[in-house]
Structure formats: structure tokens, C-alpha cells
Amino acid sequence: MFNTQRTAVITGATSDRGIGETVARRYAREGWAIVILDLDGEKSAKVAAAIGGEFDVPSFGYEIDVTSEESVTAAEAAVAAEVRDGNLPTVGALANIAGITSPVPFLETTLELWNKVMAVNATGTYLVTKAFLPGMIDAGFGRIVNMSSVSAQRGGGVFGKVPYSSAKAAILGFTKALARELGPTGVTVNAVTPGAVDTNIRVGATAESEAALAASIPVGRTATTEEVAAVITFLSTDDAAYLTGATFDINGGSHIH
Ligand SMILES: NC(=O)c1ccc[n+]([C@@H]2O[C@H](COP(=O)([O-])OP(=O)(O)OC[C@H]3O[C@@H](n4cnc5c(N)ncnc54)[C@H](O)[C@@H]3O)[C@@H](O)[C@H]2O)c1
């Protein structure tokens, strides 16, 4: 229980079998208060309450569309009000997990699809980080962990294609440049690059494609959401103060570089 004085904010954390929900659960298990931000406000509040109740930590959930500055500002204001009222400790960690993928081949993509995938993954990470960062700088402590993907490093090859790989690569550049700028502030910024994780995001994947995928991974299987969450919560600890601007591969050896 090393984090009872801090709140972790997690975006994209209500999906059944998703990474974000496991990350929120793990933060709570480690003693963090949690805030879940996702598209459906009611579901966010419900999932947060269930996790908060299970681990006896303060928990709130709000609606957010990470692509909308107005929505992001409103969600941050709701969290700030709970902090001000003493219902939540100060925000110490932000996990930018919300994301969408797309398996559409390049020449079949539309500008609309490109914009949407860039908006949720890259612009969303930018907007949410910008909203929560001032409080972290004021507190002199912050841990920002951004969700990229092995697709950014090896050019897709799992499920997502060009727009997804581009958006996840943007997140790597964002992470590195922001980490450099925030060096002296006590706020670290890192990225994780999972390979295939066993969630519902790869809609349309078949049993055959999943088997071929597993066979292509040296460890012989996809990652569990818990294995991804373990890295994210570690990067949020006091022990991780000297890790910043780094990219953490969680890919079972599928991309060794
Ligand atoms: N599953 C994998 O194999 C894998 C691998 C590498 C990276 N990732 C990344 O991990 C993250 C989580 O993936 P997952 O597999 O749990 O997917 P998921 O689809 O189960 O979860 C994504 C979550 O993001 C939320 N979301 C989508 N658009 C949003 C928006 N505009 N505003 C707020 N929330 C929004 C969804 O509601 C959902 O809760 C994504 O960023 C994904 O790209 C996944």
C-alpha cells in the first residue's frame, strides 16, 4: 500500500476484458485511488465503484471523449472538484489507454478513418495529458504512461495497419519530447508497446489468424492484460523516478530490437 495518498486516472477502462479495466484494478490493488474516464459515463462510474469497493479505495468514473477538448476539460474539472473537496487525493498518475485500431488496407482507407484513428489515439493522449499535467507539476510528482503498440515499431503486422501504426508512433514521439521537457519537474512520461494482448479489440480476427499469431510469438501466446498492467503500475511508482522518455516492450519476444 504505497500510494494511498495518490489518485491514478485511467482512460479507456470500461471495456470487458480490456487492458484499461485491468490497469484500473491493479492500481486499486496497489492502494491508489482511481478515476476511470471512458465514453459511457454511467459505465465508467459503475466500473470504478465496483473496483473501488473491491479494494476499499476512493473511486470515481466520468464520461470523456478523449478527442474533444471540451469533454476532456469537463472531466478534468470533475476530478479537480473531488480533489478540492477532499474526496480524492491529488492525481499522481495518468494512464492514457483509450484507443481504437483499424485493419483497413492503406488504399482502402478514407481521410475520415485516418482522422478518427489519429484523433482517439494521438490527439486524445495529447488532450488528456495537457489537462492533467498542471496539477502534477504543482505537486512535483507525476507519472504519465502512454499506450503505444508494437505496431508503431514494426509497421503493424498484428492487426492494425497504417493509420493505427502512425498514431501509435506519434505517441512515441510525444512521450519522448514531453519527457525531455518535463525532466526537472518530477513528472515522468513513458510509453508501453504491447504486442498482441488477449482482449476484444481485434474484432474480426478468426481462430486461424489468432493461432497463426500465437505461433509467430517466441513465448508462444498473446499477452494477458495483467502482464501489461504490471508494467504500467510499476512505471507509476516512486521506484520508477529515473525512468522517463522510455519505451517498454511487452511483446513476448515478437519484436526484439
Ligand atoms: N489488445 C491488443 O492487442 C493491444 C496491443 C497493443 C496496444 N493496445 C492498445 O491498448 C489500448 C486498450 O486496448 P484494448 O485491447 O483494451 O481495447 P478495448 O477496445 O477493449 O478498449 C479500448 C477502450 O477505449 C475506449 N475508447 C475508445 N474511444 C474512446 C474515446 N474517443 N474516448 C474515450 N475512450 C475511448 C473504449 O470505450 C474502450 O473502453 C488501446 O489503446 C490499444 O490500441 C492493444
Side-chain angles (χ1 to χ4, degrees):
M1 291 289 172
F2 44 78
N3 289 307
T4 40
Q5 301 309 311
R6 290 182 185 131
T7 297
V9 175
I10 308 103
T11 69
T14 63
S15 162
D16 298 335
R17 301 185 69 248
I19 295 169
E21 203 257 1
T22 308
V23 170
R25 184 174 296 279
R26 190 158 180 130
Y27 272 121
R29 199 169 91 203
E30 295 183 356
W32 293 75
I34 56 158
V35 171
I36 286 179
L37 303 177
D38 208 313
L39 287 169
D40 181 336
E42 240 172 72
K43 196 171 178 197
S44 299
K46 206 170 135 200
V47 174
I51 295 174
E54 192 179 338
F55 297 100
D56 198 22
V57 295
S59 61
F60 289 86
Y62 301 102
E63 175 185 334
I64 198 171
D65 176 350
V66 298
T67 69
S68 155
E69 186 165 25
E70 203 186 339
S71 170
V72 171
T73 304
E76 193 280 330
V79 176
E82 298 300 351
V83 172
R84 228 178 6 254
D85 293 348
N87 299 321
L88 277 175
T90 51
V91 175
L94 167 64
N96 283 306
I97 313 281
I100 56 169
T101 187
S102 163
V104 176
F106 180 63
L107 285 178
E108 291 166 35
T109 59
T110 58
L111 178 59
E112 191 188 359
L113 176 74
W114 167 269
N115 283 340
K116 175 87 181 159
V117 174
M118 291 300 283
V120 178
N121 292 288
T123 310
T125 298
Y126 161 75
L127 286 174
V128 179
T129 300
K130 195 150 171 260
F132 284 95
L133 181 58
M136 291 179 172
I137 293 175
D138 286 349
F141 178 93
R143 300 284 184 262
I144 298 169
V145 186
N146 297 322
M147 178 58 76
S148 180
S149 164
V150 73
S151 294
Q153 301 164 306
R154 61 190 289 239
V158 181
F159 183 80
K161 289 199 161 53
V162 174
Y164 183 70
S165 300
S166 305
K168 291 304 195 186
I171 289 172
L172 295 183
F174 172 85
T175 299
K176 293 174 192 185
L178 187 60
R180 188 180 292 278
E181 200 172 314
L182 295 181
T185 66
V187 181
T188 65
V189 195
N190 291 290
V192 291
T193 44
V197 186
D198 184 24
T199 73
N200 296 331
I201 201 172
R202 293 186 309 280
V203 269
T206 61
E208 290 76 40
S209 68
E210 289 293 282
L213 180 61
S216 73
I217 300 168
V219 166
R221 61 172 177 82
T222 54
T224 65
T225 56
E226 199 64 54
E227 287 167 331
V228 178
V231 178
I232 293 173
T233 52
F234 172 70
L235 288 172
S236 305
T237 62
D238 290 312
D239 280 345
Y242 209 63
L243 303 173
T244 195
T247 302
F248 292 85
D249 295 350
I250 312 166
N251 62 35
S254 63
H255 183 63
I256 298 174
H257 55 115

